[in-house]
Structure formats: structure tokens, C-alpha cells
Amino acid sequence: MMALSVALVFLLVLSRSESELDAKISSPGEATEWGDPDLSLPGSCQPAPSCQKCILSHPSCAWCKQLNFTAAGEAEARRCARREELLARGCPLGELEEPRGWQEVLQDEPLSHGDRGEGATQLAPQWVRVTLRPGEPQKLRVRFLRAEGYPVDLYYLMDLSYSMKDDLEFVRQLGHALLVRLQEVTHSVRIGFGSFVDKTVLPFVNTVPSKLRHPCPTRLEQCQPPFSFHHVLSLTGDAKAFEREVGRQNVSGNLDSPEGGFDAILQAALCQEQIGWRNVSRLLVFTSDDTFHTAGDGKLGGIFMPSDGHCHLDSNGLYSRSPEFDYPSVGQVAQALSAANIQPIFAVTSATLPVYQELSKLIPKSAVGELSENSNNVVQLIMDAYNSLSSTVTLEHSPLPSGVHISYESQCGGPKRGGEAGNQGQCNSVRINQTVNFLVTLQATHCLPKPYVLRLRALGFSEELTVELHTLCDCNCSDTQLQAPHCSDGQGDLQCGVCSCVPGRLGRLCECSEAELSSLDLESGCRASNGTGPLCSGKGLCQCGHCSCSGQSSGRLCECDDTSCERHEGILCGGFGRCQCGVCHCHANRTGRACECSGDVNGCVSPEGELCSGHGQCKCNRCQCLDGYYGALCDQCPGCRTPCERHRVWSLWDWSPGHQLQHGLCPCQRDSSFGPYPG
């Protein structure tokens, strides 16, 4: 009981730690280097000195390659801006360089059931090439069809410690019944068998020679020496072979309560050739009535070397190097099962059920069932777990390269399920012949050094989608010329509208040499007329007698700052205009120093249809009232009747002779059809 409590506490802590780590790594709201790019965000694109640096700076940036696009004194970096701004500044649409990512489907075999599950195509497409512009997401639709009769391999891994003696008697007769039930859902099924006890060193087993030969309590019982893991029968469709080989097995014994089940699971996952796994649905049924040893426990027996993650079965099917390597960790077991695409089913007794339920949370696509005292319910348990696992479609990905992020939106045919950013897509209760869809979003934060192959797969199924990832990290301008005439008759190369000067030449058009750089005559063109003040107002470089301004500065002497305009709600020109030399040039229907005023008058119209009730002016869609009036629509003043008073009427009159009885005053919303109060 103490061992059970310790194991349960360990798994609870491990589960919480991994959940917290997952939350840190893959929280949907996590900010990346670029975040979720909002292409409409004002001011998000900043000037850049070249087309390549421009498109890498932000996904909303475009580059104008038109010759002589920038004005005198304006830096070539001003060619980099948002598409709308460049068009507004006069850049022709055909001169815009704005590369976008794309995807190309290279293989898309239609979904099909195959021949009773054999040769089925359940995942489509199969091969896609995706080119990502850094910061720009690309969405890929993946389809999955749950085919009927998909083949199954089932490996039965049994605890043969002495307490499982009664269970072994039933399992010896299991083969035929298990195959018959599985053949109800698939015609292609194979079963295999393996067993485990524990490491054959103290304090896990009794190492007295006589006890190693016969570890059971009485000499009259059939008993085999203890062992770590024994692969008994490779996967086969022969039920009689299963019953024959299992019938030859005997229980064994060990000293402590936890068993060496993790060693057995790891070897069954790693030794795929010896086990005989096919590329089909793979199930591993793990039966035990106790908990398990995990990494670190081996130190009790003087074993310090961590599990090396390799297959070590000898010619007799025994895990021969068990005394050399420590037990694997939960993470190692989960990783090995996932890599081998094996779905474990833990069939355990009620006493250990909570421990394995916590363990199952850490192992993708696993199931847990309660085993009866003699395992006579194991066939139904396996079928229930198989139906649950096969109806759950979980789409996951191989490791991502640095700087690439992924998220999923699962479209399961019912109520929409949200995306699980950086995690996986999942649909539950998927019926046979039902198709589900996953919208996979890929986004890169920077350039990949070379193409990268990413693989997507549905857990428990053999098919994969290969995604060939490329990044778009340069412009493809068609105007490239070496020794271009535009660049002072060949003094530089032209690319994307900008001259790249040969060594020793300077200027926007390579029009002067470095020897002329410090000429006082040339510098005079970069100062104010009185000859004082810094060159180019301290906001640029003087080249060839002309200022080349930096950043958002412009003008002949870089005297204008296109970021110094007034802001509204923190946004330059309110987001409704363009800043030029400190002045906002507002879009149509916008006015104000920061373009903060709308030309609409909807907010100024009174119920009677008058602007500001005839007592004010509408400015910025708000009423500015004349003296003596107030209110949002200038409809109130001292001494004026309130709206309720203007519409006050008697709601009911008693017109009998000699009586005019008041039954109440009508609030504003009452019907006024009774006429005015007589009086």
C-alpha cells in the first residue's frame, strides 16, 4: 500500500509539472518573435534599406521598386512601407514587390477504404510543399477518413509474478476468443505474447541460488526462474500457436511489490523486428496487479547507467542487459511508444487503477481498464479500449525546426472545437466512414537555413503527411541590371529600383566619388542657407552635395519628420491619414490635426431629424451647443420643459356628468391619443 501511495503521488506531481510546462510552451496566447501578425496594424512596418530587409522586417511590408520613387533628400529606406501607403504615395501597382507565401500539393490521393481496410487511404493530402514568408501564417487543410476493417497487431504483455497465478490460467485459453472478437472489426489481425517479472538483482528478487531457480512459495508448484522481460511469441494470426506458447508459461516470483513492467514495455516498443510489428494499428495490452519501477529505482540494486533506449533481446527473447541498465523513465516509455506508433492498453486490478489512470495522462493515446481478479473480463476490456482508441483521431507533428510554430483547429463534424496552438488536433467519437478535417496553421519567425521536412500523422495509424517547409527570404525583382545606365552610366548595379555602387562611388545614383565626400562646396548643399547648423539637420548623411535622410526624416535638408504628427488615442494621425513633414494629411471624410474627426453627423441628429436640435453645430460627429443649451443633442436648457413634460397627458378620463376624475399621469412612453389636459 505504501508503494502504491508513493507511485500515485509521483505521477500526480509529474503530471502537474508536465502540464505546467506544456502551458508555458504551447499556450494559445503565447507571443512569438512576430506574434500573430495583424496586417492592418498602423505603423507596424518601418523603413528598411533594402528589399530583402524590408520583407523580413514585418509581414505587412512591401517595397516599391519604381525608379526615382523617393523624393529629393528622402532615404531609399522609405521605399519600404505598407502596401496602402506606397500606393497612396504614387507607386504603380506593377512596381510593388510584395512576395507572399504559398503552398503546393504534390500528392493528394483520394480518401478510400481499400479492400476491407487493406490499402486504405485515410490521410490526405500525402505530400505538400509550403513556402513561408516570416511572420505570415499559412493554413493547410488535412483530411482524415476512418476506414472500416483497418488491420490490427496486438501484443499481450503479462505480469508473471506469483500474484498473477490465477490470471495465467485464464490467459492460456485466451487466444481463440481474442481473435474471434477482433475479427468482428477487422479481418486482418495478429496477436503475440510477452511476459515480465523484474530485474534479477537484490533487492528486487531473492538472489539465493535455490530461490533463483524456484522463487515460488512452495516446492510443489510449477515455477520458472525470475526474469526481466521475455518475448515469447511474435505476432501471428494463429490462435492455436498463441494458446500453445502461453500454455507453456509458468509464474515466477520477486521480492518487492513494484514490477519491472517499464523494461518490458520499452523493449516491446524498440524491438520491432523481433516482435513482428506491421505498419498497421498497433496495440500493446499490459496486464498487471501491481505498480511499476521507474528511473532511479535501479540504484537500489547498484545499477546507475540510464536506459540507453536500444533493443537488447538475445536469441531466446530475453532482455539480456537488464542488470546493466536502470529502469526507463515515464518520458522514455511515452516517447518510445509514440515513436513506434503503439497504443498501450493498461488492464490492471482495482487496487492499482488510480496509478495507471495518472500514467495514462502522460502517454499519448493510451487507455486504462479495470481487470477482474482472474482476468476473465480481459477480452471485453480490450474491445472496449480498442473501440475508444480507434474512434479518437489525434493529429500530431514531428519535432519542429527552430523558429517555426504550429497550431491546429479541429473540425470534427459537430460543434466547432478550438485550436490547440503548438500541441495537436483531436476529434473524439469518430464513426466508421466519417471524415474529419484539421486546419493546420504554420508560421515562421525567421529564415530556415535549408528546406526542412515536417511529418504529420494520426496517432495509431500508419499513414503520414510529409510537409516540405521552405522560407521566402528575398525579393525577386525583375529589374536587376549589372552596370546599369541608370546608376550614372554603369557606376553601379540596379536591383529593386536601388543602385548598388561600385567601390569608391557614392550617392543615390552613384554620381560622385569618395574623394569628393569632404568637399566644402558639396557640403554647402547640405546646410541651411546661413551655413550654420549640422549637416542635414543632424538627421542624415551628406552625399554628393545632397542629403540622404535617415529613418522617417525627409526634405532637402532632412528638416521634416514624418513621425512628429499629432496622435489620436496613441496612433499617428489617428490611423486615418499620412504624416508628412509634421502635418497629417487625412483620408476622405476625416478632419482635425490628428484626423480624429469624422465627417459623419449621425451622432448629432435629434429624433425630429434636426442637427443638434437646431441649437448648435455638429463637429467631429458631436454637438457643440449654443449658449444657454446643453445635452448631447443641445435639447436642454434652463427653464425648458423636459421631454416628459412636453408629452405629459392624462392617461384616462372619467367623462361622466360633473366628473373629471384623474386616474393617473402618463409617463413619456404612454399613448397621448387622449388629447391635451383640458384646462
Side-chain angles (χ1 to χ4, degrees):
M1 184 59 71
M2 179 64 73
L4 176 61
S5 300
V6 171
L8 185 56
V9 170
F10 165 76
L11 285 172
L12 284 170
V13 171
L14 184 58
S15 176
R16 184 176 298 112
S17 299
E18 294 202 3
S19 298
E20 291 172 354
L21 181 59
D22 288 342
K24 292 177 181 177
I25 294 175
S26 59
S27 169
E30 178 188 23
T32 65
E33 183 177 337
W34 294 106
D36 186 10
D38 182 357
L39 300 186
S40 65
L41 184 64
S44 57
C45 180
Q46 300 298 323
S50 69
C51 186
Q52 180 188 37
K53 292 182 178 179
C54 177
I55 67 167
L56 293 179
S57 64
H58 194 274
S60 68
C61 288
W63 177 269
C64 183
K65 60 183 180 181
Q66 182 187 30
L67 295 180
N68 302 318
F69 172 70
T70 51
E74 197 173 30
E76 297 287 21
R78 296 293 303 280
R79 292 176 177 269
C80 181
R82 296 172 67 240
R83 173 192 182 94
E84 295 80 4
E85 180 182 339
L86 292 176
L87 292 175
R89 287 165 53 193
C91 183
L93 185 61
E95 297 292 333
L96 276 182
E97 188 69 19
E98 190 182 20
R100 291 292 170 204
W102 73 90
Q103 52 187 268
E104 181 182 1
V105 178
L106 302 177
Q107 184 179 356
D108 189 10
E109 299 294 334
L111 299 173
S112 67
H113 296 276
D115 182 12
R116 294 189 297 175
E118 295 277 4
T121 301
Q122 298 185 106
L123 190 67
Q126 295 81 38
W127 184 14
V128 178
R129 179 181 294 133
V130 177
T131 301
L132 298 171
R133 176 175 170 179
E136 179 188 52
Q138 283 286 322
K139 295 183 183 294
L140 172 66
R141 185 172 298 278
V142 180
R143 313 183 304 279
F144 182 88
L145 167 69
R146 184 185 172 192
E148 184 176 7
Y150 196 69
V152 173
D153 280 354
L154 185 148
Y155 192 74
Y156 198 97
L157 186 57
M158 184 175 181
D159 176 3
L160 284 188
S161 58
Y162 186 75
S163 57
M164 294 287 286
K165 179 180 177 181
D166 294 340
D167 303 77
L168 180 59
E169 293 301 322
F170 181 81
V171 174
R172 284 172 175 160
Q173 314 300 322
L174 180 66
H176 177 72
L178 184 56
L179 275 177
V180 168
R181 288 299 304 275
L182 285 171
Q183 285 170 350
E184 293 176 2
V185 294
T186 174
H187 81 286
S188 178
V189 57
R190 302 191 310 166
I191 55 177
F193 185 82
S195 56
F196 64 91
V197 182
D198 211 338
K199 293 187 182 296
T200 54
V201 297
L202 276 173
F204 311 119
V205 302
N206 193 330
T207 56
V208 173
S210 60
K211 283 294 185 180
L212 281 176
R213 290 190 299 270
H214 193 281
C216 295
T218 66
R219 306 292 295 176
L220 300 177
E221 295 179 282
Q222 288 187 329
C223 193
Q224 64 174 320
F227 55 90
S228 176
F229 166 61
H230 184 198
H231 167 53
V232 177
L233 177 67
S234 297
L235 291 160
T236 177
D238 188 347
K240 291 184 178 179
F242 182 91
E243 293 175 353
R244 181 175 62 251
E245 290 299 326
V246 177
R248 295 173 180 171
Q249 303 303 306
N250 293 309
V251 293
S252 185
N254 60 332
L255 292 178
D256 62 344
S257 293
E259 318 293 5
F262 272 17
D263 271 343
I265 293 175
L266 192 67
Q267 291 300 302
L270 295 172
C271 303
Q272 297 191 31
E273 184 177 346
Q274 293 89 329
I275 303 297
W277 293 111
R278 294 179 296 172
N279 198 18
V280 297
S281 284
R282 300 174 174 182
L283 303 178
L284 186 147
V285 178
F286 178 96
T287 61
S288 179
D289 64 349
D290 220 319
T291 57
F292 44 84
H293 283 296
T294 186
D297 289 355
K299 294 179 181 179
L300 299 172
I303 303 174
F304 296 93
M305 189 178 298
S307 176
D308 67 349
H310 293 291
C311 175
H312 294 295
L313 294 186
D314 63 16
S315 58
N316 296 317
L318 292 169
Y319 177 24
S320 58
R321 301 188 66 180
S322 170
E324 301 177 36
F325 294 109
D326 192 7
Y327 301 98
S329 66
V330 173
Q332 281 180 294
V333 170
Q335 191 278 332
L337 288 170
S338 179
N341 216 6
I342 296 172
Q343 305 168 79
I345 300 172
F346 298 104
V348 295
T349 54
S350 59
T352 59
L353 191 64
V355 173
Y356 285 93
Q357 287 173 334
E358 291 299 322
L359 175 64
S360 179
K361 295 176 182 178
L362 304 175
I363 298 179
K365 208 163 187 196
S366 59
V368 182
E370 184 175 345
L371 195 65
S372 63
E373 291 301 323
N374 64 352
S375 295
N376 61 6
N377 71 329
V378 70
V379 174
Q380 187 59 47
L381 187 156
I382 291 172
M383 294 307 300
D384 291 344
Y386 169 74
N387 289 330
S388 174
L389 290 172
S390 59
S391 66
T392 300
V393 180
T394 303
L395 190 68
E396 67 165 16
H397 54 270
S398 61
L400 293 166
S402 175
V404 174
H405 300 269
I406 190 170
S407 62
Y408 297 83
E409 181 182 306
S410 305
Q411 300 172 342
C412 306
K416 184 176 178 181
R417 176 182 175 151
E420 302 90 21
N423 189 8
Q424 59 189 16
Q426 182 168 304
C427 287
N428 300 315
S429 303
V430 179
R431 302 180 304 277
I432 291 175
N433 299 328
Q434 180 184 352
T435 299
V436 294
N437 296 280
F438 300 95
L439 198 60
V440 182
T441 302
L442 292 161
Q443 184 173 330
T445 60
H446 53 255
C447 299
L448 297 175
K450 59 181 180 180
Y452 186 89
V453 175
L454 178 70
R455 302 189 188 279
L456 303 180
R457 67 172 182 176
L459 280 178
F461 301 92
S462 60
E463 297 166 75
E464 290 184 338
L465 162 59
T466 300
V467 181
E468 189 181 309
L469 288 178
H470 299 257
T471 44
L472 179 63
C473 295
D474 206 348
C475 299
N476 187 25
C477 299
S478 57
D479 64 348
T480 302
Q481 296 180 40
L482 299 179
Q483 297 180 338
H486 177 74
C487 302
S488 299
D489 295 325
Q491 296 297 323
D493 301 332
L494 180 67
Q495 185 175 22
C496 298
V498 178
C499 288
S500 177
C501 302
V502 298
R505 302 295 296 184
L506 297 170
R508 189 170 66 170
L509 300 178
C510 311
E511 64 269 29
C512 64
S513 65
E514 289 183 352
E516 302 171 308
L517 184 62
S518 60
S519 168
L520 293 178
D521 291 336
L522 289 177
E523 287 186 0
S524 64
C526 299
R527 297 184 189 275
S529 56
N530 58 8
T532 61
L535 290 172
C536 302
S537 306
K539 301 176 183 178
L541 297 176
C542 183
Q543 293 184 342
C544 307
H546 302 286
C547 286
S548 177
C549 306
S550 58
Q552 297 281 10
S553 299
S554 62
R556 189 180 71 84
L557 299 177
C558 306
E559 69 277 11
C560 293
D561 185 352
D562 292 351
T563 60
S564 62
C565 292
E566 292 196 19
R567 297 173 181 263
H568 179 61
E569 296 182 349
I571 301 175
L572 196 68
C573 297
F576 299 107
R578 185 161 58 93
C579 181
Q580 286 185 308
C581 205
V583 178
C584 285
H585 294 260
C586 303
H587 298 163
N589 206 35
R590 303 295 300 192
T591 59
R593 298 183 55 147
C595 304
E596 72 277 13
C597 292
S598 169
D600 295 332
V601 295
N602 299 340
C604 300
V605 180
S606 68
E608 291 78 15
E610 290 185 285
L611 285 179
C612 302
S613 304
H615 303 304
Q617 294 181 335
C618 187
K619 293 185 177 181
C620 291
N621 208 17
R622 292 183 179 182
C623 286
Q624 293 187 358
C625 302
L626 299 177
D627 291 342
Y629 291 90
Y630 63 93
L633 296 174
C634 304
D635 54 351
Q636 300 178 50
C637 66
C640 294
R641 288 184 297 169
T642 66
C644 195
E645 289 171 335
R646 291 197 298 270
H647 296 89
R648 181 178 296 159
V649 297
W650 292 108
S651 63
L652 185 62
W653 290 90
D654 185 348
W655 294 101
S656 58
H659 294 86
Q660 290 182 345
L661 298 178
Q662 173 186 351
H663 290 273
L665 288 174
C666 159
C668 298
Q669 70 270 24
R670 288 284 187 88
D671 186 3
S672 60
S673 61
F674 291 104
Y677 166 61

